[in-house]
């Protein structure tokens, strides 16, 4: 389903780095990262926590704004080839200048420059969501939020939290989220991937996000599923990521179908596509096979995603026309 126009809301920029791109940077910088890769060149990790380590080690090759400019172009080229017309990407000042506001602005300038070029050349629109990283702790999250507040606007439009859901609690990050919200940023939070319904509830009630990254383990508590449906909270579901990391064995066993049928606003994204051997086109193909979903279901999911996108109304209308033209 490469040609269907798609909206992607949940994509970690470093996690979208092709392994060959990271190997190339490592070579240029004389870094030995051979332990991060399988003999076939793919990323090597054993479980989610090992994945986080490999992710951070791969990211250590990205050391300058120019590295991020090249990365952004490479990622958007792959997204556009999969039919993505609008994407939101998670950006971490932790990795882009060590949370120094001045350095972060230089990285952001380079990323935006690449995004502008991709929009002109490939017709894909990108917006940024700044994320703090849960296992880096609340102090670093505060500094990240200050970077976010300083660059909030029509391009940096959201704030979120990623990382290891098993450490600390959403309420430990309240200062960072309040700071981001006061700067006008819209809120999403990873929860319900490695934590169960209690983790989704904590994120929902303590951070009041419009969207939840993953959220899928809400399925273990149907009262919570109904609450998500009633609140209209949008789930950024990444089925291929969940299957690759072993939360569910197959797409068919994944709860996205049940959540959709029960009225939850679900959307589809890839999370960290090369790590999980996936693309947006593959996600659609696998979902279509698993749940017998046709183009009209995917059109609904894309409309839900566009309605939940953190962009301004002009951008939304422009992208809506592209979806409508394809569905006509
Ligand atoms: N960072 C990158 N990918 C992630 C995921 N799937 N969960 C939490 N943090 C992440
Ligand atoms: Zn994620």
């Amino acid at each position: 389903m490469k040609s269907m126009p798609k909206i992607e809301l949940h994509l970690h920029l470093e996690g979208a780095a092709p392994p060959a791109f990271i190997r190339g940077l490592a070579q240029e910088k004389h870094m030995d990262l051979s332990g991060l890769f399988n003999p076939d060149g793919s990323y090597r990790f054993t479980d989610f926590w090992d994945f986080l380590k490999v992710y951070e080690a791969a990211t250590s090759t990205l050391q300058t704004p120019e590295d991020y400019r090249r990365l952004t172009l490479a990622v958007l080229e792959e997204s556009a080839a999969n039919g993505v017309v609008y994407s939101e990407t998670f950006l971490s000042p932790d990795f882009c200048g060590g949370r120094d506001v001045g350095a972060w602005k230089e990285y952001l300038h380079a990323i935006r420059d690449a995004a502008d070029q991709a929009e002109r050349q490939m017709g894909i629109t990108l917006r940024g969501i700044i994320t703090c990283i849960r296992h880096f702790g609340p102090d670093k999250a505060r500094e990240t939020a200050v970077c976010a507040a300083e660059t909030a606007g029509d391009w940096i439009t959201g704030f979120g939290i990623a990382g290891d859901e098993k450490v600390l609690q959403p309420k430990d990050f309240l200062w960072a989220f309040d700071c981001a919200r006061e700067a006008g940023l819209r809120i999403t939070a990873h929860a319900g991937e490695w934590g169960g319904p209690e983790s989704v509830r904590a994120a929902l009630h303590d951070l009041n996000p419009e969207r939840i990254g993953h959220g899928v383990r809400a399925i273990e508590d149907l009262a919570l599923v109904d609450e998500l449906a009633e609140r209209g909270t949008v789930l950024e579901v990444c089925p291929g990521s969940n299957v690759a990391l072993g939360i569910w064995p197959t797409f068919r066993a994944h709860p996205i179908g049940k959540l959709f049928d029960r009225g939850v606003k679900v959307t589809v994204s890839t999370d960290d596509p090369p790590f999980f051997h996936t693309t947006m086109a593959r996600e659609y193909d696998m979902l279509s096979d698993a749940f017998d979903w046709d183009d009209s279901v995917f059109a609904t999911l894309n409309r839900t995603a566009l309605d939940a996108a953190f962009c301004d109304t002009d951008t939304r209308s422009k992208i809506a026309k592209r979806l409508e033209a394809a569905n006509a």
Side-chain angles (χ1 to χ4, degrees):
M1 264 191 242
K2 275 198 171 180
S3 62
M4 175 183 277
K6 304 174 185 73
I7 311 291
E8 176 159 43
L9 299 180
H10 188 121
L11 179 74
H12 299 263
L13 188 58
E14 298 86 3
F21 179 88
I22 295 295
R23 268 196 303 280
L25 277 185
Q27 224 164 21
E28 283 171 27
K29 293 166 204 252
H30 309 291
M31 298 167 74
D32 179 13
L33 294 185
S34 49
L36 303 188
F37 304 102
N38 289 309
D40 69 0
S42 59
Y43 289 113
R44 172 161 64 201
F45 51 91
T46 52
D47 60 15
F48 173 67
W49 292 272
D50 194 37
F51 155 76
L52 287 179
K53 281 192 206 134
V54 171
Y55 182 110
E56 285 163 27
T59 299
S60 70
T61 61
L62 294 157
Q63 297 170 350
T64 65
E66 173 60 17
D67 292 342
Y68 268 86
R69 196 187 65 75
R70 287 162 64 189
L71 171 65
T72 305
L73 267 182
V75 168
L76 290 177
E77 199 172 320
E78 178 65 16
S79 293
N82 277 277
V84 178
V85 293
Y86 175 87
S87 179
E88 292 185 357
T89 192
F90 295 123
L91 300 170
S92 304
D94 291 283
F95 303 132
C96 300
R99 298 174 305 282
D100 174 82
V101 172
W104 159 244
K105 284 184 177 168
E106 286 178 27
Y107 278 81
L108 179 58
H109 183 78
I111 293 166
R112 286 195 63 168
D113 200 45
D116 288 348
Q117 184 180 336
E119 184 150 30
R120 285 193 309 274
Q121 294 177 348
M122 307 168 208
I124 179 168
T125 301
L126 184 70
R127 294 291 181 268
I129 298 172
I130 295 191
T131 41
C132 58
I133 297 177
R134 191 149 158 173
H135 55 276
F136 290 178
D139 290 345
K140 288 182 175 157
R142 270 182 241 261
E143 294 175 15
T144 300
V146 171
C147 288
E150 288 286 331
T151 49
D154 61 356
W155 203 86
I156 291 292
T157 57
F159 185 77
I161 184 166
D164 186 356
E165 192 184 341
K166 292 287 203 190
V167 301
L168 299 162
Q169 289 297 322
K171 63 176 165 23
D172 298 324
F173 296 87
L174 269 181
W175 191 96
F177 276 85
D178 285 347
C179 170
R181 214 187 297 267
E182 267 169 39
L185 290 164
R186 300 179 59 187
I187 303 298
T188 175
H190 279 62
E193 180 191 21
W194 295 98
E198 69 294 343
S199 176
V200 177
R201 274 211 176 82
L204 205 56
H205 297 159
D206 291 338
L207 304 178
N208 194 25
E210 292 175 57
R211 304 190 332 217
I212 290 193
H214 300 283
V216 278
R217 287 195 50 204
I219 198 66
E220 296 165 27
D221 179 342
L222 291 182
L224 176 61
V225 172
D226 292 341
E227 183 181 347
L228 289 169
E230 272 156 33
R231 289 170 83 114
T233 309
V234 172
L235 301 190
E236 303 155 6
V237 183
C238 308
S241 162
N242 299 153
V243 171
L245 287 169
I247 304 176
W248 286 280
T250 59
F251 272 70
R252 203 182 288 264
H254 192 279
I256 187 171
K258 288 191 196 109
L259 292 163
F260 179 69
D261 290 343
R262 214 171 161 99
V264 178
K265 290 186 176 174
V266 298
T267 62
V268 176
S269 294
T270 56
D271 211 8
D272 308 284
F275 282 87
F276 305 137
H277 305 283
T278 199
T279 61
M280 279 294 271
R282 176 179 175 271
E283 295 291 318
Y284 280 43
D285 288 339
M286 298 294 277
L287 289 169
S288 164
D289 283 352
F291 300 111
D292 216 10
W293 282 353
D294 61 14
D295 286 4
S296 73
V297 176
F298 290 105
T300 302
L301 300 184
N302 275 310
R303 188 64 233 191
T304 300
L306 186 58
D307 289 343
F310 289 165
C311 59
D312 59 35
T313 50
D314 283 356
T315 307
R316 199 185 320 279
S317 315
K318 196 181 77 185
I319 305 293
K321 289 204 181 84
R322 293 187 67 181
L323 295 186
E324 280 153 24
N327 296 330

